Amino acid sequence: MTDLTDFHSYRSNPEVTKYQGFDVMTMDEAEDFINRHKDRLYGKPGEWVQYGIINNATGKLIGDCAIKLDEDDARIAVIGITISHLHQRQGFAKEVMTGVLAFLFDTKQLHRIVETMDAENTAVINLMKSVGFRLEGHFIENIFFKGKWGSEFQYAMLKREWDARK
Ligand SMILES: CC(C)(COP(=O)(O)OP(=O)(O)OC[C@H]1O[C@@H](n2cnc3c(N)ncnc32)[C@H](O)[C@@H]1OP(=O)(O)O)[C@@H](O)C(=O)NCCC(=O)NCCS
């Protein structure tokens, strides 16, 4: 809760939330979000677990990322990430994603990690390519999103692909 102001500053920015499943948040909604997520721990299939991203140099919250283990097979995970507009394009997301992949593949021995994104979200597409994800699918107008039909890409990585990159 001590990070509430920093959390709200980027979660209330329409450029940051443009391609995301949530909309801009009021301060009350940001507080409610933290309260709903703060006691969740890794390991429950079907439940998003949210992690704060801290800049080691300042100790300040600069974003968040999330992991959801597949409801039917906990060897598969879906991930997501947000970096504050104030800290983008400095390599933070790539550093975080590399850490999350090491945690899921090396520590937790998961088989497969997936990320689905709006087909216009160039930033996250480049991020996922940059950490070695492979394009699996292009879904055409598969989702009614923020008032119009949107198309999505699905990217994924298998544990053996992660191991081969090391
Ligand atoms: C996607 C996001 C997390 C990237 O964070 P970031 O810290 O700026 O990314 P990085 O600086 O680590 O860059 C990673 C790679 O993506 C590329 N990239 C980042 N932002 C980009 C942009 N706006 N346009 C094109 N490429 C971009 C970088 O050049 C880098 O590529 P490289 O490793 O080949 O040099 C950030 O833009 C964001 O939070 N966006 C809003 C939230 C969102 O849409 N999240 C995804 C939901 S699915």
PDB file of all heavy atoms in Angstrom, residues 132-152:
ATOM      1  N   GLY A 132      12.824 -14.129 -26.738  1.00  0.00           N
ATOM      2  CA  GLY A 132      12.866 -15.433 -27.397  1.00  0.00           C
ATOM      3  C   GLY A 132      11.532 -16.118 -27.604  1.00  0.00           C
ATOM      4  O   GLY A 132      11.492 -17.297 -27.974  1.00  0.00           O
ATOM      5  N   PHE A 133      10.428 -15.403 -27.377  1.00  0.00           N
ATOM      6  CA  PHE A 133       9.124 -16.021 -27.622  1.00  0.00           C
ATOM      7  C   PHE A 133       8.899 -16.180 -29.126  1.00  0.00           C
ATOM      8  O   PHE A 133       9.419 -15.431 -29.938  1.00  0.00           O
ATOM      9  CB  PHE A 133       7.996 -15.182 -27.000  1.00  0.00           C
ATOM     10  CG  PHE A 133       7.732 -15.508 -25.557  1.00  0.00           C
ATOM     11  CD1 PHE A 133       8.754 -15.496 -24.624  1.00  0.00           C
ATOM     12  CD2 PHE A 133       6.450 -15.837 -25.119  1.00  0.00           C
ATOM     13  CE1 PHE A 133       8.517 -15.800 -23.288  1.00  0.00           C
ATOM     14  CE2 PHE A 133       6.202 -16.144 -23.794  1.00  0.00           C
ATOM     15  CZ  PHE A 133       7.236 -16.129 -22.878  1.00  0.00           C
ATOM     16  N   ARG A 134       8.081 -17.145 -29.453  1.00  0.00           N
ATOM     17  CA  ARG A 134       7.794 -17.546 -30.832  1.00  0.00           C
ATOM     18  C   ARG A 134       6.323 -17.257 -31.137  1.00  0.00           C
ATOM     19  O   ARG A 134       5.459 -17.532 -30.314  1.00  0.00           O
ATOM     20  CB  ARG A 134       8.081 -19.058 -30.887  1.00  0.00           C
ATOM     21  CG  ARG A 134       7.755 -19.805 -32.083  1.00  0.00           C
ATOM     22  CD  ARG A 134       8.193 -21.266 -31.895  1.00  0.00           C
ATOM     23  NE  ARG A 134       7.982 -21.827 -30.559  1.00  0.00           N
ATOM     24  CZ  ARG A 134       6.781 -22.127 -30.054  1.00  0.00           C
ATOM     25  NH1 ARG A 134       5.686 -21.934 -30.743  1.00  0.00           N
ATOM     26  NH2 ARG A 134       6.685 -22.643 -28.836  1.00  0.00           N
ATOM     27  N   LEU A 135       6.076 -16.688 -32.320  1.00  0.00           N
ATOM     28  CA  LEU A 135       4.688 -16.397 -32.721  1.00  0.00           C
ATOM     29  C   LEU A 135       3.953 -17.705 -32.994  1.00  0.00           C
ATOM     30  O   LEU A 135       4.438 -18.550 -33.743  1.00  0.00           O
ATOM     31  CB  LEU A 135       4.684 -15.523 -33.986  1.00  0.00           C
ATOM     32  CG  LEU A 135       3.312 -15.160 -34.545  1.00  0.00           C
ATOM     33  CD1 LEU A 135       2.503 -14.316 -33.560  1.00  0.00           C
ATOM     34  CD2 LEU A 135       3.443 -14.420 -35.868  1.00  0.00           C
ATOM     35  N   GLU A 136       2.776 -17.849 -32.379  1.00  0.00           N
ATOM     36  CA  GLU A 136       2.000 -19.085 -32.569  1.00  0.00           C
ATOM     37  C   GLU A 136       0.696 -18.851 -33.298  1.00  0.00           C
ATOM     38  O   GLU A 136       0.153 -19.758 -33.910  1.00  0.00           O
ATOM     39  CB  GLU A 136       1.657 -19.702 -31.208  1.00  0.00           C
ATOM     40  CG  GLU A 136       2.831 -20.233 -30.484  1.00  0.00           C
ATOM     41  CD  GLU A 136       2.415 -21.198 -29.386  1.00  0.00           C
ATOM     42  OE1 GLU A 136       1.377 -20.948 -28.751  1.00  0.00           O
ATOM     43  OE2 GLU A 136       3.132 -22.187 -29.190  1.00  0.00           O
ATOM     44  N   GLY A 137       0.158 -17.641 -33.138  1.00  0.00           N
ATOM     45  CA  GLY A 137      -1.164 -17.452 -33.730  1.00  0.00           C
ATOM     46  C   GLY A 137      -1.494 -15.995 -33.942  1.00  0.00           C
ATOM     47  O   GLY A 137      -0.980 -15.120 -33.246  1.00  0.00           O
ATOM     48  N   HIS A 138      -2.291 -15.739 -34.954  1.00  0.00           N
ATOM     49  CA  HIS A 138      -2.800 -14.394 -35.227  1.00  0.00           C
ATOM     50  C   HIS A 138      -4.315 -14.539 -35.339  1.00  0.00           C
ATOM     51  O   HIS A 138      -4.813 -15.128 -36.290  1.00  0.00           O
ATOM     52  CB  HIS A 138      -2.191 -13.866 -36.533  1.00  0.00           C
ATOM     53  CG  HIS A 138      -2.574 -12.453 -36.828  1.00  0.00           C
ATOM     54  ND1 HIS A 138      -2.203 -11.808 -37.989  1.00  0.00           N
ATOM     55  CD2 HIS A 138      -3.301 -11.545 -36.117  1.00  0.00           C
ATOM     56  CE1 HIS A 138      -2.669 -10.569 -37.971  1.00  0.00           C
ATOM     57  NE2 HIS A 138      -3.356 -10.394 -36.869  1.00  0.00           N
ATOM     58  N   PHE A 139      -5.005 -14.047 -34.337  1.00  0.00           N
ATOM     59  CA  PHE A 139      -6.459 -14.189 -34.291  1.00  0.00           C
ATOM     60  C   PHE A 139      -7.081 -12.907 -34.829  1.00  0.00           C
ATOM     61  O   PHE A 139      -6.732 -11.810 -34.378  1.00  0.00           O
ATOM     62  CB  PHE A 139      -6.910 -14.468 -32.860  1.00  0.00           C
ATOM     63  CG  PHE A 139      -6.201 -15.645 -32.246  1.00  0.00           C
ATOM     64  CD1 PHE A 139      -5.216 -15.459 -31.288  1.00  0.00           C
ATOM     65  CD2 PHE A 139      -6.487 -16.935 -32.658  1.00  0.00           C
ATOM     66  CE1 PHE A 139      -4.536 -16.539 -30.739  1.00  0.00           C
ATOM     67  CE2 PHE A 139      -5.811 -18.021 -32.109  1.00  0.00           C
ATOM     68  CZ  PHE A 139      -4.838 -17.820 -31.148  1.00  0.00           C
ATOM     69  N   ILE A 140      -7.970 -13.038 -35.772  1.00  0.00           N
ATOM     70  CA  ILE A 140      -8.515 -11.872 -36.471  1.00  0.00           C
ATOM     71  C   ILE A 140      -9.871 -11.492 -35.861  1.00  0.00           C
ATOM     72  O   ILE A 140     -10.816 -12.294 -35.873  1.00  0.00           O
ATOM     73  CB  ILE A 140      -8.694 -12.165 -37.976  1.00  0.00           C
ATOM     74  CG1 ILE A 140      -7.418 -12.797 -38.567  1.00  0.00           C
ATOM     75  CG2 ILE A 140      -9.088 -10.894 -38.724  1.00  0.00           C
ATOM     76  CD1 ILE A 140      -6.189 -11.921 -38.561  1.00  0.00           C
ATOM     77  N   GLU A 141      -9.935 -10.282 -35.348  1.00  0.00           N
ATOM     78  CA  GLU A 141     -11.158  -9.746 -34.727  1.00  0.00           C
ATOM     79  C   GLU A 141     -11.811 -10.791 -33.821  1.00  0.00           C
ATOM     80  O   GLU A 141     -12.995 -11.086 -33.931  1.00  0.00           O
ATOM     81  CB  GLU A 141     -12.111  -9.233 -35.819  1.00  0.00           C
ATOM     82  CG  GLU A 141     -11.514  -8.032 -36.547  1.00  0.00           C
ATOM     83  CD  GLU A 141     -12.484  -7.279 -37.431  1.00  0.00           C
ATOM     84  OE1 GLU A 141     -13.706  -7.527 -37.339  1.00  0.00           O
ATOM     85  OE2 GLU A 141     -12.016  -6.442 -38.219  1.00  0.00           O
ATOM     86  N   ASN A 142     -10.990 -11.337 -32.907  1.00  0.00           N
ATOM     87  CA  ASN A 142     -11.455 -12.397 -32.003  1.00  0.00           C
ATOM     88  C   ASN A 142     -11.957 -11.867 -30.679  1.00  0.00           C
ATOM     89  O   ASN A 142     -12.449 -12.615 -29.852  1.00  0.00           O
ATOM     90  CB  ASN A 142     -10.302 -13.372 -31.722  1.00  0.00           C
ATOM     91  CG  ASN A 142      -9.139 -12.688 -31.008  1.00  0.00           C
ATOM     92  OD1 ASN A 142      -8.804 -11.548 -31.321  1.00  0.00           O
ATOM     93  ND2 ASN A 142      -8.535 -13.356 -30.064  1.00  0.00           N
ATOM     94  N   ILE A 143     -11.806 -10.526 -30.468  1.00  0.00           N
ATOM     95  CA  ILE A 143     -12.170 -10.006 -29.149  1.00  0.00           C
ATOM     96  C   ILE A 143     -12.813  -8.633 -29.291  1.00  0.00           C
ATOM     97  O   ILE A 143     -12.298  -7.774 -30.026  1.00  0.00           O
ATOM     98  CB  ILE A 143     -10.913  -9.958 -28.230  1.00  0.00           C
ATOM     99  CG1 ILE A 143     -11.259  -9.457 -26.830  1.00  0.00           C
ATOM    100  CG2 ILE A 143      -9.779  -9.148 -28.842  1.00  0.00           C
ATOM    101  CD1 ILE A 143     -10.149  -9.683 -25.812  1.00  0.00           C
ATOM    102  N   PHE A 144     -13.969  -8.458 -28.636  1.00  0.00           N
ATOM    103  CA  PHE A 144     -14.602  -7.131 -28.636  1.00  0.00           C
ATOM    104  C   PHE A 144     -14.018  -6.376 -27.461  1.00  0.00           C
ATOM    105  O   PHE A 144     -14.214  -6.711 -26.307  1.00  0.00           O
ATOM    106  CB  PHE A 144     -16.128  -7.245 -28.524  1.00  0.00           C
ATOM    107  CG  PHE A 144     -16.798  -5.942 -28.873  1.00  0.00           C
ATOM    108  CD1 PHE A 144     -16.915  -5.546 -30.198  1.00  0.00           C
ATOM    109  CD2 PHE A 144     -17.284  -5.098 -27.884  1.00  0.00           C
ATOM    110  CE1 PHE A 144     -17.504  -4.334 -30.549  1.00  0.00           C
ATOM    111  CE2 PHE A 144     -17.871  -3.887 -28.219  1.00  0.00           C
ATOM    112  CZ  PHE A 144     -17.989  -3.506 -29.550  1.00  0.00           C
ATOM    113  N   PHE A 145     -13.229  -5.348 -27.787  1.00  0.00           N
ATOM    114  CA  PHE A 145     -12.320  -4.766 -26.800  1.00  0.00           C
ATOM    115  C   PHE A 145     -12.399  -3.248 -26.848  1.00  0.00           C
ATOM    116  O   PHE A 145     -12.161  -2.640 -27.894  1.00  0.00           O
ATOM    117  CB  PHE A 145     -10.912  -5.259 -27.144  1.00  0.00           C
ATOM    118  CG  PHE A 145      -9.840  -4.797 -26.211  1.00  0.00           C
ATOM    119  CD1 PHE A 145      -9.796  -5.262 -24.912  1.00  0.00           C
ATOM    120  CD2 PHE A 145      -8.875  -3.904 -26.640  1.00  0.00           C
ATOM    121  CE1 PHE A 145      -8.796  -4.853 -24.050  1.00  0.00           C
ATOM    122  CE2 PHE A 145      -7.877  -3.486 -25.788  1.00  0.00           C
ATOM    123  CZ  PHE A 145      -7.844  -3.956 -24.488  1.00  0.00           C
ATOM    124  N   LYS A 146     -12.772  -2.632 -25.731  1.00  0.00           N
ATOM    125  CA  LYS A 146     -12.851  -1.177 -25.620  1.00  0.00           C
ATOM    126  C   LYS A 146     -13.616  -0.559 -26.800  1.00  0.00           C
ATOM    127  O   LYS A 146     -13.138   0.339 -27.491  1.00  0.00           O
ATOM    128  CB  LYS A 146     -11.459  -0.577 -25.435  1.00  0.00           C
ATOM    129  CG  LYS A 146     -10.806  -1.099 -24.147  1.00  0.00           C
ATOM    130  CD  LYS A 146      -9.546  -0.418 -23.710  1.00  0.00           C
ATOM    131  CE  LYS A 146      -9.104  -0.977 -22.357  1.00  0.00           C
ATOM    132  NZ  LYS A 146      -7.807  -0.594 -21.891  1.00  0.00           N
ATOM    133  N   GLY A 147     -14.781  -1.127 -27.096  1.00  0.00           N
ATOM    134  CA  GLY A 147     -15.705  -0.527 -28.067  1.00  0.00           C
ATOM    135  C   GLY A 147     -15.555  -0.968 -29.500  1.00  0.00           C
ATOM    136  O   GLY A 147     -16.317  -0.528 -30.361  1.00  0.00           O
ATOM    137  N   LYS A 148     -14.564  -1.843 -29.816  1.00  0.00           N
ATOM    138  CA  LYS A 148     -14.465  -2.314 -31.207  1.00  0.00           C
ATOM    139  C   LYS A 148     -13.849  -3.716 -31.238  1.00  0.00           C
ATOM    140  O   LYS A 148     -13.235  -4.153 -30.256  1.00  0.00           O
ATOM    141  CB  LYS A 148     -13.659  -1.341 -32.067  1.00  0.00           C
ATOM    142  CG  LYS A 148     -12.216  -1.132 -31.637  1.00  0.00           C
ATOM    143  CD  LYS A 148     -11.552  -0.132 -32.581  1.00  0.00           C
ATOM    144  CE  LYS A 148     -10.189   0.280 -32.112  1.00  0.00           C
ATOM    145  NZ  LYS A 148      -9.048  -0.382 -32.539  1.00  0.00           N
ATOM    146  N   TRP A 149     -14.008  -4.397 -32.392  1.00  0.00           N
ATOM    147  CA  TRP A 149     -13.388  -5.710 -32.547  1.00  0.00           C
ATOM    148  C   TRP A 149     -11.884  -5.547 -32.670  1.00  0.00           C
ATOM    149  O   TRP A 149     -11.401  -4.719 -33.450  1.00  0.00           O
ATOM    150  CB  TRP A 149     -13.940  -6.431 -33.778  1.00  0.00           C
ATOM    151  CG  TRP A 149     -15.333  -6.934 -33.562  1.00  0.00           C
ATOM    152  CD1 TRP A 149     -16.492  -6.420 -34.054  1.00  0.00           C
ATOM    153  CD2 TRP A 149     -15.709  -8.054 -32.736  1.00  0.00           C
ATOM    154  NE1 TRP A 149     -17.576  -7.143 -33.593  1.00  0.00           N
ATOM    155  CE2 TRP A 149     -17.118  -8.152 -32.786  1.00  0.00           C
ATOM    156  CE3 TRP A 149     -15.009  -8.982 -31.964  1.00  0.00           C
ATOM    157  CZ2 TRP A 149     -17.823  -9.141 -32.096  1.00  0.00           C
ATOM    158  CZ3 TRP A 149     -15.706  -9.968 -31.279  1.00  0.00           C
ATOM    159  CH2 TRP A 149     -17.101 -10.033 -31.347  1.00  0.00           C
ATOM    160  N   GLY A 150     -11.146  -6.332 -31.906  1.00  0.00           N
ATOM    161  CA  GLY A 150      -9.691  -6.274 -31.958  1.00  0.00           C
ATOM    162  C   GLY A 150      -9.112  -7.611 -32.377  1.00  0.00           C
ATOM    163  O   GLY A 150      -9.743  -8.658 -32.228  1.00  0.00           O
ATOM    164  N   SER A 151      -7.882  -7.569 -32.937  1.00  0.00           N
ATOM    165  CA  SER A 151      -7.169  -8.794 -33.314  1.00  0.00           C
ATOM    166  C   SER A 151      -6.008  -8.998 -32.343  1.00  0.00           C
ATOM    167  O   SER A 151      -5.478  -8.029 -31.800  1.00  0.00           O
ATOM    168  CB  SER A 151      -6.638  -8.669 -34.739  1.00  0.00           C
ATOM    169  OG  SER A 151      -7.719  -8.486 -35.640  1.00  0.00           O
ATOM    170  N   GLU A 152      -5.622 -10.249 -32.158  1.00  0.00           N
ATOM    171  CA  GLU A 152      -4.564 -10.546 -31.182  1.00  0.00           C
ATOM    172  C   GLU A 152      -3.508 -11.495 -31.773  1.00  0.00           C
ATOM    173  O   GLU A 152      -3.805 -12.288 -32.663  1.00  0.00           O
ATOM    174  CB  GLU A 152      -5.158 -11.221 -29.935  1.00  0.00           C
ATOM    175  CG  GLU A 152      -6.011 -10.292 -29.100  1.00  0.00           C
ATOM    176  CD  GLU A 152      -6.512 -10.974 -27.840  1.00  0.00           C
ATOM    177  OE1 GLU A 152      -7.029 -12.112 -27.918  1.00  0.00           O
ATOM    178  OE2 GLU A 152      -6.388 -10.373 -26.768  1.00  0.00           O
TER     179      GLU A 152
END
